[in-house]
Amino acid sequence: MGDKVFYVTTPIYYPSDKLHIGHALTTTMADTLARYKRLRGYDVYFLTGSDEHGQKIQRKAREADLPPQKYVDRIVATFQELWRRLNISYNDFIRTTEPRHTRVVQHLLQKIYDQGDIYKSTYEGWYCTPCETFWTERQLKDGNCPDCGRPVELVKEESYFFRMSKYADRLLQYIKEHPDFILPVSRRNEMISFIEGGLEDLCISRTTFDWGIPVPMDPRHVIYVWFDALTNYISALGYGTEDDHLFRKYWPAAVHLVGKDIVRFHTIIWPIILMAAGIDPPRQVFGHGWLLVDGGKMSKSKGNVVDPMVLIDRYGADAIRYFLLREMPYGADGYYSEEALITRLNTDLANDFGNLLSRTTAMIEKFNGGVIAAPSAPEPLDEELKAIARAVPDEVDAALNNFEFARALTAIWRLVNRANKYIEETAPWALAKDPLKKPRLQTVLYNLAEAMRQATIMVGPFMPGVPARVWEQLGLADVPAALTWESLATWGGIPAGTRVKRGPALFPRIELNEQEGEGPVAVQETPAAASPAVKEETVAKPGEEEITIEEFARIKLRVAEVLAAEKVANADKLLKLEVKVGDERRTIVAGIARYYRPEELVGKKVVIVANLKPAKLRGIVSQGMVLAAVAGDTLSLITPERAIQDGAQVR
Ligand code: MSP
């Protein structure tokens, strides 16, 4: 990487509709990286924007009876408002209808044409308008778009073609020589096989509609929307213009963050366009999984689209950001539900993080007059807390450099939770009863405040609204040296004598209000500070560990319908099941072959653990687990007692 510069991008979103919570995921990831790198002293450039041309937008505008530009102007304003509310710190927002963009797209296309890599021919094949993608007959799945499953349209028109095939070997070699170019590895492998399957030349112009950038040498054609859109990453930097200083400084991009559905465009089409134009490819492309809701993908027709604005109003931007980053498994799909969001908010944010601050400040006020005194009486126990604090920053760094947001947060929470445990172990309320133990009490309180300080610095890029509120309460707002990443290297960044000021709970707990018609409500945190934990009555059988309702809620159980079942070769206990869970198809390997014949299972509704980490059994990736009751030699699958659609939640 050029000296400490970091250029990060999000996809530019289609202004065909308002954005949903899934779109907020990529942008939150990008913002977290941008903020983190800034904290580490990088010169960061963070770009997002809108992809405004193409047939899909033209149709949408027509349905709304508006000129396309008017239509997109309205929607783009909602994007910008969402990013403002979500605290997104982009440096630039590029719109593909801006002249600064259209000029560069035409320039790039002309350049590639002039060197002979673009030719005129006739396109005859299929087109998926929602995805804005060309498909050959062979690529279709059951006659539909292999990506989104929607119907495709037959297209026959004169088009310009880009000689992609010519560059296939060079690209393959590049991908093989740069193992980190496409992450995660599973997507890299998919792309390698895609290229090895043979690349066809790409149709890069259309004549059957006109909402696009005219082809410079033949203005009857408009430029294919993906050629137009991908170029945003360099048009925003002024590539090919009189003022290209941003391009010279920031290109190649450190990373393009994209959803898994558009990795192909970013790792095949885009690098080849760049190669043809003699421009370096981006350094990395990271393809994250999808955020799914009940019943699979979000869509207007299913009526399950989650509006991030409503959630921000209800729970605040920081909680939403935390949820998205903590809940998405690395590179794989994750699930959104309001319950899961509330669980994260109540456990990780209110109980763990918020409570550490409120207990610490309350105890400092109660036992030491609100002053953080110097730690003069260390004990060996303190070392454990400090050792974790020493290790966590490097782990956060490693995780973020690999786009493992959940891992980074888990690491920070090791420190937060260790500090909470330290409260129980040191029992400051007991130390406070003995005046001789004052130095030890002060040391314990210092360490707690210091742990909170360190955790807060690290949490800042994920939840940018949090630090200022913590610094206010810890009395550090005017101590800049105590707020830097570098200060994490030493335990003891809080100047002795600092005054705390207890404030409102950082994250009020949300109670799920059972009364009909009322949504979840926030309640003020109970002042748990300074009181020893109350032992609650146990209902678990001896030997069975109790879990909380929140822990249970993390297990996603769903109804699935068995579509097909077959024995797994050379494994007498295993059956391979194809199941349908709402809109999704999954393969599950189950150890039930001794109890059920494959044909008995087809059409049955079963219950599966839907968020179990996939595991490979006999070379088959099993995406979940089927629930069964077992007693002695009997096994019985759990099935819903009355008719209910697959995909339904079990709870
Ligand atoms: N306009 C193109 C991108 C051009 S980039 C040069 C596009 N736009 S989009 O609005 O349809 O999607 C933008 C991004 O949102 C994609 O990365 C897509 O994966 C992501 N997501 C859309 N729904 C999503 C979820 N439910 N979950 C996570 N990301 C999802 O494609």
Side-chain angles (χ1 to χ4, degrees), residues 483-557:
L483 316 183
T484 64
W485 186 273
E486 291 66 39
S487 73
L488 297 174
T490 19
W491 187 264
I494 303 183
T498 299
R499 271 199 164 270
V500 304
K501 194 169 93 207
R502 195 173 180 215
L506 286 181
F507 296 99
R509 279 182 66 87
I510 306 290
E511 294 303 334
L512 274 171
N513 196 323
E514 301 294 347
Q515 280 162 30
E516 223 161 292
E518 287 188 34
V521 290
V523 293
Q524 275 301 309
E525 205 166 288
T526 41
S531 60
V534 180
K535 196 92 195 102
E536 277 174 19
E537 267 197 59
T538 174
V539 288
K541 281 201 194 150
E544 279 184 352
E545 196 197 338
E546 271 182 326
I547 61 167
T548 61
I549 186 83
E550 284 88 2
E551 283 171 302
F552 175 71
R554 292 189 58 203
I555 303 171
K556 302 283 176 253
L557 301 173

Side-chain angles (χ1 to χ4, degrees), residues 109 112 117-119 134 159-164 201-206 213 215 217 221-228 269 273:
L109 191 132
I112 300 175
D117 281 338
I118 290 176
Y119 60 92
F134 297 98
S159 288
Y160 284 90
F161 283 77
F162 171 44
R163 286 187 211 284
M164 288 241 297
D201 288 348
L202 178 71
C203 178
I204 52 158
S205 78
R206 306 284 313 270
I213 304 174
V215 169
M217 63 278 178
H221 289 245
V222 293
I223 299 175
Y224 171 44
V225 64
W226 270 101
F227 186 99
D228 167 351
I269 299 180
I273 294 175

Side-chain angles (χ1 to χ4, degrees), residues 249-312:
K249 182 169 182 187
Y250 293 112
W251 191 261
V255 61
H256 292 319
L257 292 179
V258 299
K260 63 179 184 181
D261 50 321
I262 59 172
V263 169
R264 196 164 54 82
F265 297 91
H266 285 80
T267 59
I268 298 180
I269 299 180
W270 181 226
I272 292 186
I273 294 175
L274 292 168
M275 271 177 193
I279 305 170
D280 286 338
R283 290 184 200 282
Q284 286 193 309
V285 176
F286 176 69
H288 62 72
W290 278 62
L291 183 66
L292 303 174
V293 289
D294 231 5
K297 282 190 188 175
M298 270 173 261
S299 79
K300 251 195 159 171
S301 54
K302 278 192 242 159
N304 61 358
V305 175
V306 179
D307 183 351
M309 218 63 125
V310 172
L311 295 181
I312 296 171

Side-chain angles (χ1 to χ4, degrees), residues 11-14 20 22-23 25 51 226 229-230 232-233 258-259 261-262 266 288-291 298:
I12 50 172
Y13 301 95
Y14 289 125
H20 60 57
H23 300 114
L25 172 68
D51 183 359
W226 270 101
L230 288 162
N232 91 90
Y233 300 128
V258 299
D261 50 321
I262 59 172
H266 285 80
H288 62 72
W290 278 62
L291 183 66
M298 270 173 261

Side-chain angles (χ1 to χ4, degrees), residues 252-532:
V255 61
H256 292 319
L257 292 179
V258 299
K260 63 179 184 181
D261 50 321
I262 59 172
V263 169
R264 196 164 54 82
F265 297 91
H266 285 80
T267 59
I268 298 180
I269 299 180
W270 181 226
I272 292 186
I273 294 175
L274 292 168
M275 271 177 193
I279 305 170
D280 286 338
R283 290 184 200 282
Q284 286 193 309
V285 176
F286 176 69
H288 62 72
W290 278 62
L291 183 66
L292 303 174
V293 289
D294 231 5
K297 282 190 188 175
M298 270 173 261
S299 79
K300 251 195 159 171
S301 54
K302 278 192 242 159
N304 61 358
V305 175
V306 179
D307 183 351
M309 218 63 125
V310 172
L311 295 181
I312 296 171
D313 285 342
R314 210 176 268 173
Y315 305 109
D318 288 322
I320 310 303
R321 292 173 60 119
Y322 178 82
F323 173 83
L324 291 171
L325 298 169
R326 177 67 187 79
E327 201 77 8
M328 285 302 284
Y330 176 68
D333 292 344
Y335 275 95
Y336 166 82
S337 74
E338 196 152 354
E339 286 97 314
L341 169 65
I342 292 173
T343 303
R344 284 283 174 208
L345 209 166
N346 283 348
T347 43
D348 303 10
L349 298 180
N351 281 4
D352 300 344
F353 194 86
N355 246 348
L356 178 61
L357 179 69
S358 61
R359 294 172 92 186
T360 302
T361 50
M363 290 192 291
I364 293 170
E365 285 186 349
K366 187 161 174 195
F367 304 138
N368 210 46
V371 173
I372 307 177
S376 60
E379 283 189 9
L381 173 70
D382 306 349
E383 284 313 310
E384 261 185 59
L385 181 64
K386 294 184 196 176
I388 290 179
R390 260 196 308 278
V392 171
D394 285 346
E395 193 172 344
V396 171
D397 184 60
L400 285 182
N401 285 332
N402 210 26
F403 316 108
E404 295 171 280
F405 298 91
R407 184 182 136 206
L409 285 169
T410 312
I412 302 171
W413 255 250
R414 280 220 317 278
L415 175 61
V416 171
N417 289 333
R418 189 65 193 82
N420 277 318
K421 190 167 157 220
Y422 182 80
I423 299 181
E424 306 309 324
E425 291 167 339
T426 54
W429 45 88
L431 295 172
K433 290 192 182 129
D434 182 350
L436 289 176
K437 293 194 172 141
K438 185 100 181 179
R440 179 60 190 153
L441 171 66
Q442 289 176 331
T443 305
V444 165
L445 296 177
Y446 185 94
N447 287 339
L448 287 171
E450 177 66 4
M452 190 67 211
R453 178 186 80 87
Q454 298 213 359
T456 302
I457 290 173
M458 291 187 276
V459 136
F462 301 84
M463 295 189 285
V466 166
R469 298 168 63 207
V470 176
W471 305 145
E472 195 56 36
Q473 297 200 34
L474 283 184
L476 292 174
D478 299 322
V479 193
L483 316 183
T484 64
W485 186 273
E486 291 66 39
S487 73
L488 297 174
T490 19
W491 187 264
I494 303 183
T498 299
R499 271 199 164 270
V500 304
K501 194 169 93 207
R502 195 173 180 215
L506 286 181
F507 296 99
R509 279 182 66 87
I510 306 290
E511 294 303 334
L512 274 171
N513 196 323
E514 301 294 347
Q515 280 162 30
E516 223 161 292
E518 287 188 34
V521 290
V523 293
Q524 275 301 309
E525 205 166 288
T526 41
S531 60

